[in-house]
Amino acid sequence: MVAVLLVLLGGALTFRQLAFNQQQHQLRSVVEVIDGQLSVQPETPEFAQWLPNWLRAHNIQVLEVANRGGVIYTFRELNYTGNSNNLIPYRYPLAAHPDFFIQIWVEQPFKQLTYEPEAMLGIGGGVLIVALGLIAVFRWLKSIMYGAELLQTRGNQILAGRLRDVQQGSGKEWPNAASKAIEQLITQLIEARQERSRFDCIIRNNAFVDELTQLSNRTHFLNQLEAEIGDADAHTGAVLLVYLRGMDDVNYQYARNEGDAILQQSSEALKQYTRRNIDVNLARYSGDAFALLMPLSTLDEAEDTAAGILKLLERIPLPEVAEADDFFYIGIAGYEYGDNAQLVIEQAEDALRVAQMQRHNGWYAIPRELSSTQTGKGSVRWRTLLQHVLSNEALHYYQQEVFDEDGRVCYKELLARITDYQGEVINAGVFLPWAEKSGLQADFDQHALKFAMQQVKYSRQPISINLNIATVIKQSVMRDLLQWVFSVPFKECQKLVLEFPETQLSQLNDTEMLRLKALNKKGIKLAVERAGQRVVSTQYISELKLEYLKLHTSLVRDIQVRQVNQLAVSSLVASCAGRVQVMAVGVERNEEWRVLQRLGVHHAQGFLFSKPEPI
């Protein structure tokens, strides 16, 4: 419509200008005739006789011929009834008489033009037809462009990583072929990611999981043990070796099928007993032995665990060739921060040999005084201490910086600390497991979350906090978080990073996933920690928009000499390619960092870069 109006307006102006040009052309002709006649018959009666009629024929209302001395000839139409002030003046010099000039006053073009109804009806009908055609074309273009806009919106959502939300497009999208092609490609991409996740699990299963029992294998167990011993937060713990002494006789008498059945039943019994404590790492140490890693445990607690395990194992039905009273033995060795992992294993094996010398199902623990005063305080004493910390607001925080490969700070992680009655600082890795056992985990998480939300207001870098996912997805906590999101600027929301353990993220249902996605859409960033500690599906990477994936320290420790760890890290990096930034935790040596960079890890956290500092 605007185009038609512009065309009509342009045509009208052009036609008007052409009329003025035609009028000026006629007036020039009159001036040329008068200039010629002045040379032939100046001051003759004939000139005054024919000129008025000729001027009337050209609709000239006033004409004056003048020179420097004044007007020498004037013509004025006496019968003109219009307003002389509306006449258009023109001034022309005479070419043959340079001292003379002519001034002419005429009416505007189209002054006498009449608008006949028939002509106007035709013009109006034409304009109406054009307008209706333009409206139809505009509506058609609008419908086409609406489909293109839908396709554009869908493309933006795909670029934002929300594949599953736009897997099926609207039937109004245009072009239809592009819409169907995108649907097909999204389906193939989702299937490829799922296949990639399954392939990643297969790689890590082959590297770290025993095929028969589906437990961690010896390599993975040793990685976990070295990571725990090298973790200053762990303090103390215990290793249990569970040996099935009569397996050789069973395999010899009944072939391997019967022996495999006993191993599977034993692994199920161990899983059942350790299921209540997710921090216990269970592995198949060798063909007829299992191993348990119990962080933050004392030897007394390890012996209680051994007694409970032995009761479950003795319920397993054994073939006649096996001596039920001389079949299950357990060796126990304690460790503390800074010990040698191989030496701890050797002590557990020595304890196992001592237990076998008793010739009756049992266990033996290598006597040792562990230096830590924080582990094994007792559940009542721990609960009392933790309640005292919460009631007196005695929880304080350290911060540790996280760097990229160019040495820039990506964000700062908050690390919780408490102080016991003797004034000793206790790390979160020690008191949080007891807080969970005492039912106080949610209180500590909410305190940490509120502190982090306060810190992002004053910090230039993003602030991260490690939380239990069960706390965050509570309706009350979600409500508080969303209220905070709506009360602060969006840039401030983007500086809050929530970190969750991989084992918890991998077990979320669809409803819980939606709650985390709601936080993510409001600007809060999500990260996963302890990736690779357990062999779980990485499907959560496709479900959530994660900012960072933090490798567990067991994969990072001495990675330059561990080919299996390098394979696992490469698999995780490939699963995150283009979607999540992979970060190594616990980097302490340049050799580790160089290998990690070569594998595609470009962010790191550890003593090699910075140490925790109090806030």
Side-chain angles (χ1 to χ4, degrees):
M1 184 63 70
V2 174
V4 172
L5 293 176
L6 290 175
V7 170
L8 292 175
L9 181 61
L13 293 175
T14 302
F15 191 67
R16 178 179 180 277
Q17 186 63 38
L18 288 174
F20 276 97
N21 292 342
Q22 178 64 25
Q23 186 182 60
Q24 294 175 13
H25 178 70
Q26 291 178 355
L27 295 178
R28 289 192 189 94
S29 300
V30 172
V31 170
E32 290 176 359
V33 171
I34 294 175
D35 191 17
Q37 290 298 321
L38 285 175
S39 301
V40 175
Q41 50 182 7
E43 302 178 358
T44 62
E46 290 79 3
F47 183 81
Q49 292 176 0
W50 65 263
L51 184 59
N53 294 328
W54 192 59
L55 294 177
R56 292 189 186 96
H58 288 83
N59 292 322
I60 296 175
Q61 306 302 324
V62 179
L63 181 142
E64 292 181 351
V65 180
N67 58 13
R68 295 179 181 177
V71 178
I72 63 173
Y73 177 79
T74 301
F75 167 79
R76 184 178 300 274
E77 177 58 60
L78 300 177
N79 296 327
Y80 179 67
T81 60
N83 187 354
S84 59
N85 293 328
N86 294 331
L87 297 176
I88 302 175
Y90 292 97
R91 178 188 175 96
Y92 296 98
L94 299 180
H97 302 83
D99 296 333
F100 289 84
F101 63 88
I102 296 178
Q103 285 187 321
I104 302 175
W105 284 264
V106 295
E107 292 183 330
Q108 295 183 0
F110 312 114
K111 180 68 182 297
Q112 304 300 327
L113 182 65
T114 59
Y115 300 94
E116 298 294 335
E118 295 81 1
M120 296 306 299
L121 183 62
I123 295 175
V127 172
L128 181 62
I129 292 173
V130 172
L132 293 176
L134 284 174
I135 291 173
V137 171
F138 178 75
R139 295 188 64 178
W140 176 76
L141 286 175
K142 183 179 179 181
S143 64
I144 293 297
M145 290 300 102
Y146 178 70
E149 289 175 357
L150 289 177
L151 196 63
Q152 172 72 13
T153 302
R154 193 175 175 202
N156 291 334
Q157 291 179 325
I158 292 173
L159 293 175
R162 297 191 291 270
L163 283 180
R164 293 187 178 275
D165 297 340
V166 293
Q167 186 173 1
Q168 296 295 328
S170 171
K172 298 180 181 180
E173 289 182 347
W174 181 86
N176 294 329
S179 177
K180 293 178 180 179
I182 289 177
E183 288 181 5
Q184 183 176 353
L185 291 175
I186 290 176
T187 301
Q188 292 177 356
L189 181 58
I190 291 176
E191 292 176 353
R193 287 185 175 180
Q194 292 174 345
E195 192 63 29
R196 173 71 230 189
S197 177
R198 288 192 289 268
F199 182 65
D200 173 68
C201 285
I202 291 173
I203 290 177
R204 290 195 285 163
N205 274 329
N206 290 335
F208 294 137
V209 176
D210 176 67
E211 183 178 358
L212 176 63
T213 62
Q214 294 302 302
L215 299 176
S216 299
N217 57 20
R218 183 189 184 108
T219 300
H220 194 210
F221 178 80
L222 292 176
N223 284 349
Q224 296 285 335
L225 176 59
E226 291 189 358
E228 288 293 333
I229 291 177
D231 186 0
D233 292 343
H235 291 282
T236 65
V239 172
L240 284 70
L241 290 184
V242 181
Y243 177 56
L244 281 59
R245 181 172 183 174
M247 287 299 300
D248 291 340
D249 296 336
V250 173
N251 289 332
Y252 178 78
Q253 187 72 22
Y254 299 99
R256 301 195 66 86
N257 291 338
E258 184 69 22
D260 289 347
I262 294 175
L263 288 173
Q264 289 176 335
Q265 293 176 22
S266 301
S267 67
E268 289 300 323
L270 293 171
K271 289 179 186 178
Q272 178 183 347
Y273 191 85
T274 58
R275 192 171 290 122
R276 71 191 69 173
N277 189 351
I278 61 174
D279 291 328
V280 174
N281 297 317
L282 178 61
R284 185 181 180 187
Y285 188 72
S286 63
D288 49 8
F290 297 92
L292 286 83
L293 177 61
M294 299 178 58
L296 303 174
S297 299
T298 62
L299 289 177
D300 291 339
E301 292 172 341
E303 291 192 58
D304 292 340
T305 300
I309 289 175
L310 198 58
K311 288 180 181 180
L312 287 178
L313 293 176
E314 288 177 339
R315 297 176 186 175
I316 298 175
L318 299 176
E320 295 180 357
V321 69
E323 297 183 18
D325 293 337
D326 187 23
F327 201 87
F328 302 104
Y329 294 94
I330 302 175
I332 305 171
Y335 68 82
E336 60 185 10
Y337 171 66
D339 281 350
N340 183 280
Q342 188 59 40
L343 181 59
V344 173
I345 291 295
E346 291 176 358
Q347 289 176 349
E349 292 174 346
D350 291 340
L352 186 60
R353 283 190 285 269
V354 174
Q356 293 179 66
M357 293 173 62
Q358 301 174 6
R359 306 300 296 177
H360 189 277
N361 293 342
W363 71 89
Y364 181 78
I366 298 292
R368 181 179 180 184
E369 289 291 334
L370 299 177
S371 60
S372 177
T373 60
Q374 299 172 355
T375 305
K377 290 179 180 290
S379 59
V380 176
R381 293 185 61 190
W382 269 113
R383 183 177 181 84
T384 303
L385 173 61
L386 296 176
Q387 287 178 337
H388 173 77
V389 169
L390 289 173
S391 60
N392 290 275
E393 295 287 335
L395 187 65
H396 50 277
Y397 296 90
Y398 283 53
Q399 66 180 14
Q400 187 176 23
E401 295 176 335
V402 178
F403 295 85
D404 62 12
E405 59 184 350
D406 297 324
R408 294 178 300 219
V409 177
C410 302
Y411 67 84
K412 297 178 180 179
E413 181 178 357
L414 296 181
L415 307 172
R417 300 285 188 268
I418 65 173
T419 304
D420 62 10
Y421 298 116
Q422 288 75 36
E424 185 175 357
V425 177
I426 304 176
N427 297 331
V430 176
F431 71 81
L432 282 181
W434 286 104
E436 184 176 2
K437 294 176 182 178
S438 303
L440 301 174
Q441 175 80 53
D443 296 326
F444 278 93
D445 283 344
Q446 292 183 43
H447 188 282
L449 185 58
K450 290 180 181 178
F451 185 80
M453 290 189 294
Q454 294 172 357
Q455 289 296 305
V456 296
K457 185 176 182 179
Y458 308 103
S459 176
R460 294 183 179 179
Q461 289 86 18
I463 298 294
S464 76
I465 189 69
N466 189 298
L467 300 173
N468 189 306
I469 203 167
T471 302
V472 177
I473 61 178
K474 282 184 177 180
Q475 290 188 355
S476 59
V477 179
M478 286 289 296
R479 183 172 58 252
D480 293 341
L481 265 173
L482 292 176
Q483 288 178 352
W484 174 78
V485 165
F486 289 119
S487 64
V488 300
F490 185 73
K491 290 183 178 180
E492 192 168 317
C493 296
Q494 290 182 309
K495 291 195 292 184
L496 179 61
V497 183
L498 303 183
E499 297 184 6
F500 304 108
E502 182 187 47
T503 52
Q504 296 179 8
L505 275 179
S506 63
Q507 297 172 2
L508 293 180
N509 57 37
D510 293 339
T511 303
E512 294 166 342
M513 280 286 187
L514 287 175
R515 293 183 179 180
L516 288 185
K517 289 179 181 178
L519 294 178
N520 199 214
K521 289 179 180 179
K522 300 304 179 183
I524 297 177
K525 297 179 180 180
L526 305 178
V528 56
E529 61 149 5
R530 304 182 194 175
Q533 183 181 20
R534 300 280 194 276
V535 180
V536 297
S537 173
T538 55
Q539 183 62 28
Y540 63 87
I541 297 177
S542 301
E543 296 288 341
L544 294 171
K545 184 181 178 182
L546 299 172
E547 193 72 17
Y548 299 101
L549 183 139
K550 303 176 71 173
L551 300 174
H552 190 255
T553 52
S554 62
L555 294 177
V556 176
R557 183 97 45 191
D558 294 328
I559 191 173
Q560 70 275 12
V561 295
R562 300 179 187 271
Q563 296 296 328
V564 175
N565 288 15
Q566 295 180 24
L567 178 64
V569 171
S570 298
S571 175
L572 285 171
V573 170
S575 298
C576 300
R579 293 179 288 172
V580 186
Q581 301 179 71
V582 181
M583 178 185 302
V585 178
V587 181
E588 297 183 354
R589 290 186 288 274
N590 283 315
E591 295 82 1
E592 296 172 344
W593 179 226
R594 283 196 293 268
V595 173
L596 289 165
Q597 287 180 297
R598 179 170 54 82
L599 296 175
V601 179
H602 304 302
H603 299 76
Q605 178 181 7
F607 286 178
L608 180 63
F609 303 96
S610 67
K611 294 183 179 181
E613 298 179 354
I615 297 179

